[in-house]
Amino acid sequence: MRSFFQSIFGKATPKQVQILPQDVTIVLEPGQTLLEAALANGIAYPHDCTVGTCASCKTRLKQGRVREATPFGYTLSKAELDAGYILACQAFPRDELTVVEIDPPSADLPPVEQFAATIVATEPLTHDILKVTIQTDRPVHYLAGRYANVRVPGWPRFRCYSFANAPQRKGRNVLEFYIRKVPAGEFTEALFRGELDGQPLEMEAPQGTFHLHGGDAPMLCIAGGSGLAPLVSILEHARANRIKRDCILLFGARTEGDLYQLEAIGNIAANWQGEFRFIPVLSHEPEHSDWTGARGLVTEHIPADFCEGAEGYLCGPPPMIDAAIARLLDNRLPLEKIFYDKFTDGRNS
Ligand code: FES
């Protein structure tokens, strides 16, 4: 049937995709997503989940149209959609020539490797966040802000957790993570019961594209819950390398008992090159407690006068990220200067 139609209408013109900034043009096989075609052509295209939930493959569509396998809007914010971003793993190019652009630093991130790992220590940070120390069979090279996929051998899927300690030049094989207990989450329930202590794990790392970008722009960091981990890694890395940038760290939690790692943040603040302001914000602190700090949603406390010329680094639950992006855009911090990692329960349970 196919050859009959081809004999009448001629052979279908193959679809091509030009990928910037590498300026590589690839030809798509029928039924391939943009990401599948790029990987099949040996391009180190940023990706992780491949199912449209992590945003690692976020790409700007410069020319052409694409069909969405699942709506991009499940993961990308309205501002990102309006700016022309798509998810490469969910995009089927429709035109003869499609032109896309990936974030330049993403193209140079270190490749993912497999490691054998073991949990060597755990320490409760709050009633539902555990500091987990994992040792790997050899050093892991990563940029602060990125994450690892972790799995118990034989279990069906990996969970994603951000590195909480700063990287080292020669790599690190003792790695810290802040892991939140997800109700009814098989992995985190077992972890909190201590059943995974000493158990062999498989790790694939480093993952994701979230990391500290170069330059001297002031940094506006916003964390919610266990989203503090990648920001502590980034800030500790910047402190250790004497990077001089003004910084505000907003940390949203429910109550005073949900704040953690205050000593580590205090140490970063005391040794920071430039101005450093830490603003913890509590959303559910009892009204008559002796808390005198900020209350409400963390995004309500973004200082408007700090935004212009700054870079935004956001980590936490999707509603917090979406609200923060909207607030930053209102305060004239452009989308290109907003970097984020959304923590969803599905990724971490
Ligand atoms: S790889 Fe496309 S959203 Fe995760």
Side-chain angles (χ1 to χ4, degrees), residues 245-265:
R245 299 171 70 161
D246 291 342
C247 179
I248 290 179
L249 170 61
L250 286 147
F251 180 22
R254 287 175 62 82
T255 67
E256 195 171 359
D258 294 311
L259 296 173
Y260 62 96
Q261 291 300 73
L262 300 181
E263 207 178 309
I265 295 169

Side-chain angles (χ1 to χ4, degrees), residues 64-241:
R65 296 164 302 160
V66 295
R67 179 171 66 78
E68 301 168 44
T70 58
F72 304 145
Y74 284 144
T75 300
L76 299 182
S77 67
K78 182 174 180 311
E80 288 169 315
L81 296 173
D82 291 346
Y85 284 101
I86 63 169
L87 295 174
C89 71
Q90 300 300 302
F92 293 101
R94 293 173 57 191
D95 295 316
E96 274 178 30
L97 178 65
T98 303
V99 183
V100 296
E101 184 175 44
I102 51 179
D103 195 13
S106 302
D108 308 322
L109 293 176
V112 177
E113 293 179 55
Q114 272 76 39
F115 299 88
T118 314
I119 294 175
V120 292
T122 59
E123 175 193 339
L125 296 174
T126 70
H127 76 285
D128 67 349
I129 295 180
L130 200 61
K131 177 170 147 187
V132 178
T133 306
I134 293 182
Q135 187 154 359
T136 48
D137 57 343
R138 62 192 195 283
V140 182
H141 294 268
Y142 62 95
L143 295 182
R146 300 190 74 194
Y147 63 87
N149 286 348
V150 176
R151 178 171 75 168
V152 178
W155 287 30
R157 67 181 180 86
F158 284 89
R159 272 75 174 173
C160 320
Y161 301 110
S162 296
F163 300 108
N165 44 3
Q168 289 175 325
R169 206 176 300 274
K170 291 182 178 168
R172 234 185 217 287
N173 64 347
V174 178
L175 303 151
E176 292 173 359
F177 302 86
Y178 306 156
I179 298 184
R180 189 176 75 83
K181 186 177 185 176
V182 178
E186 187 186 17
F187 184 84
T188 58
E189 294 275 6
L191 186 65
F192 275 67
R193 284 195 298 266
E195 293 168 11
L196 302 183
D197 294 359
Q199 163 110 22
L201 298 173
E202 296 167 354
M203 180 185 286
E204 293 183 347
Q207 304 276 358
T209 56
F210 185 71
H211 64 281
L212 179 62
H213 293 246
D216 57 4
M219 299 162 61
L220 181 53
C221 302
I222 306 174
S226 57
L228 186 65
L231 291 176
V232 165
S233 177
I234 282 178
L235 295 173
E236 180 55 29
H237 163 77
R239 182 207 63 75
N241 288 278

Side-chain angles (χ1 to χ4, degrees), residues 47-50 52-57 87 89:
H47 73 284
D48 178 24
C49 71
T50 74
T53 58
C54 74
S56 295
C57 65
L87 295 174
C89 71

Side-chain angles (χ1 to χ4, degrees), residues 312-323:
Y313 292 90
L314 326 173
C315 293
M320 185 207 86
I321 302 279
D322 293 342

